[in-house]
Amino acid sequence: MARRIAVIGGGVVGCSVAWHLAQRELGEVVLIERDRLGSGTTWHSAGNLTWRPGLHHDATVLYAFETLKRLTAETEQDTGWLKTGRLFLAHEQPAIRRLEGYQEQATRRGIESRMITGKEAAGLHPLLAADSISAAWFNPLSGRVNPADLTAAYAKGARRRGARILENCRATGLTVRDGRVRGVATTTETIEADDVVVTAGLWSRALLTAVGVYLAQWATEHFYVIADVTPRLPRETPSFVAPEDLLYGREEVGGMMVGAFDENAKTIDSTGLPEPFAFTLFSPAWDKIAPYFEKAVTIFPALESAPIRRFVNGPESFTPDDVPLIGPISDIDGLYVCTAMNSGGVTYSAAAGHMIADLLAGAEPRFPVTAFAPERFGAKAKDVAWLEREISAVVSRGYRQTNL
């Protein structure tokens, strides 16, 4: 009998996992989605994808670029990929030195990035004030996708390779017997499985807590606005990050997206979310974004008079060290998790799918997996108060550490 593999959660990560498993012909794959594909957090993602030196955004992102080409060719599904490059903006010497280190590594690898002045950066981004920054690093290996289209492409590829996708089918629990996962109970049927991969994002922790497994993840509010700037931005305008200011942004339909990785982020207990929670946002957090937007106005003065077209405030799951949870659960054979992407689901989706496929195939892993071990926090993962404190702080701390 063919190996039966159930994947719980149909966001961009779950659909990638299903495609990678089906591609490797590891068994009969069924993907279970509580509502519609991408309806949890994927749909409101900014969709940015940027290479940079370091453990988690180097080989994984290069593989994502490779995957986009292969997936588009295989499925004929447009992912919305647009290569724009990205400006890393810096004010103080420590930030500049970090960017110079990036440039040194990029040069060694033949990547045509470059350190530039504020004036040169303003030449690449028409709204940037040249005297608002001290230096910048222009990284050409950056762009964006449409998260819904990328999810659809993964799903289409998985279906073409024989995977079954069940929408409007909510997983209500895991069946575990004699130390092994046996299947998934859902609102429509009981699905027997030899292996289960939990890619349920916000809902992963609650699903596993019910079988005595505690994941060190918690959700926070995460937000950006879209401003109707004048002049309108060309589509190819480079995106930007300003890590010292905890800012990021890019062009969006001629306007300008501006988001922040919030200090003292507001935590959310996902078990208290309303049902159904699909394509759902929280109320605008104007008080939270205000200090960040003021900093953005200093760098991009046109924002001061630009009407805000939209405020997007949605949940994202984080871990205490800003690294996703990907791998097997030691006490329950056949159970794997791939969750808590730290607002990087689009970025990690390709590599995460490959990691899970390697694990289930018993293959030599393409990417180092130790750092992603889901049980690395031990008993602390049970401590909700500790989790909330750490997650509230890691949103900004992790962003600085990743980009500075």
Side-chain angles (χ1 to χ4, degrees):
M1 187 171 66
R3 184 181 188 181
R4 300 160 301 179
I5 308 170
V7 180
I8 303 175
V12 68
V13 172
C15 289
S16 171
V17 167
W19 178 63
H20 279 85
L21 293 173
Q23 189 181 47
R24 302 272 277 271
E25 299 181 345
L26 293 175
E28 296 177 351
V29 178
V30 58
L31 173 67
I32 304 159
E33 164 53 40
R34 64 183 358 246
D35 199 275
R36 284 166 289 170
L37 298 180
S39 62
T41 61
T42 295
W43 72 277
H44 61 71
S45 165
N48 296 315
L49 188 57
T50 302
W51 171 85
R52 57 186 170 275
L55 181 60
H56 304 307
H57 292 86
D58 193 332
T60 55
V61 173
L62 294 178
Y63 176 67
F65 294 149
E66 174 190 322
T67 298
L68 286 174
K69 292 179 183 177
R70 191 168 78 248
L71 188 62
T72 302
E74 178 181 317
T75 65
E76 301 176 327
Q77 166 75 49
D78 184 17
T79 63
W81 170 245
L82 177 67
K83 186 178 180 181
T84 61
R86 171 166 276 195
L87 290 165
F88 286 65
L89 309 179
H91 302 294
E92 304 296 335
Q93 280 302 312
I96 294 171
R97 285 194 294 271
R98 179 67 177 268
L99 296 182
E100 288 172 341
Y102 283 178
Q103 178 57 31
E104 289 173 8
Q105 294 184 62
T107 299
R108 284 199 297 269
R109 296 167 65 171
I111 295 169
E112 295 181 354
S113 60
R114 60 190 188 273
M115 289 295 297
I116 58 177
T117 64
K119 184 177 180 180
E120 289 171 312
L124 294 172
H125 196 299
L127 301 184
L128 192 151
D131 61 355
S132 67
I133 61 170
S134 300
W137 180 56
F138 177 69
N139 173 9
L141 295 185
S142 179
R144 68 182 197 247
V145 296
N146 182 320
D149 290 341
L150 177 59
T151 303
Y154 281 133
K156 186 175 182 179
R159 283 192 182 101
R160 282 190 172 184
R161 292 176 177 273
R164 190 162 60 109
I165 295 180
L166 305 177
E167 295 184 88
N168 296 301
C169 177
R170 183 165 61 87
T172 56
L174 303 175
T175 305
V176 178
R177 191 167 57 253
D178 299 327
R180 172 169 258 295
V181 69
R182 304 290 178 174
V184 183
T186 79
T187 49
T188 60
E189 60 183 291
T190 297
I191 297 169
E192 294 184 350
D194 302 298
D195 300 279
V196 173
V197 186
V198 178
T199 62
L202 293 169
W203 297 277
S204 294
R205 181 179 168 90
L207 264 175
L208 269 73
T209 298
V211 293
V213 175
Y214 295 85
L215 296 180
Q217 68 169 74
W218 208 258
T220 76
E221 292 188 2
H222 188 56
F223 42 75
Y224 60 81
V225 295
I226 299 170
D228 281 326
V229 291
T230 302
R232 309 290 283 168
L233 287 173
R235 288 187 73 234
E236 297 77 15
T237 303
S239 64
F240 78 90
V241 290
E244 293 158 288
D245 302 315
L246 300 174
L247 290 168
Y248 69 94
R250 62 167 174 79
E251 181 273 344
E252 174 67 16
V253 195
M256 187 169 175
M257 175 190 291
V258 178
F261 279 77
D262 189 23
E263 288 189 293
N264 303 311
K266 182 179 178 181
T267 56
I268 302 294
D269 183 351
S270 60
T271 62
L273 294 174
E275 289 287 355
F277 192 87
F279 302 108
T280 303
L281 294 173
F282 303 127
S283 298
W286 295 107
D287 59 326
K288 277 286 199 176
I289 204 169
Y292 304 108
F293 197 79
E294 288 175 11
K295 292 178 181 178
V297 167
T298 301
I299 302 171
F300 305 97
L303 288 170
E304 187 168 19
S305 58
I308 301 299
R309 183 197 315 165
R310 193 173 185 214
F311 195 124
V312 175
N313 184 17
E316 293 283 358
S317 296
F318 290 82
T319 63
D321 61 1
D322 199 45
V323 178
L325 307 175
I326 305 173
I329 299 300
S330 59
D331 291 340
I332 303 177
D333 289 343
L335 180 58
Y336 302 81
V337 300
C338 190
T339 185
M341 296 292 138
N342 298 278
S343 191
V346 166
T347 296
Y348 280 113
S349 63
H354 199 295
M355 285 185 218
I356 289 294
D358 281 346
L359 287 165
L360 267 72
E364 184 70 23
R366 174 169 177 163
F367 306 103
V369 295
T370 305
F372 299 95
E375 296 167 314
R376 63 186 181 270
F377 297 99
K380 282 187 175 181
K382 293 183 180 181
D383 187 342
V384 170
W386 175 79
L387 263 183
E388 287 189 304
R389 285 195 307 272
E390 290 297 309
I391 286 348
S392 177
V394 81
V395 174
S396 59
R397 185 179 71 231
Y399 187 64
R400 285 194 179 105
Q401 289 173 346
T402 300
N403 291 284
L404 280 178

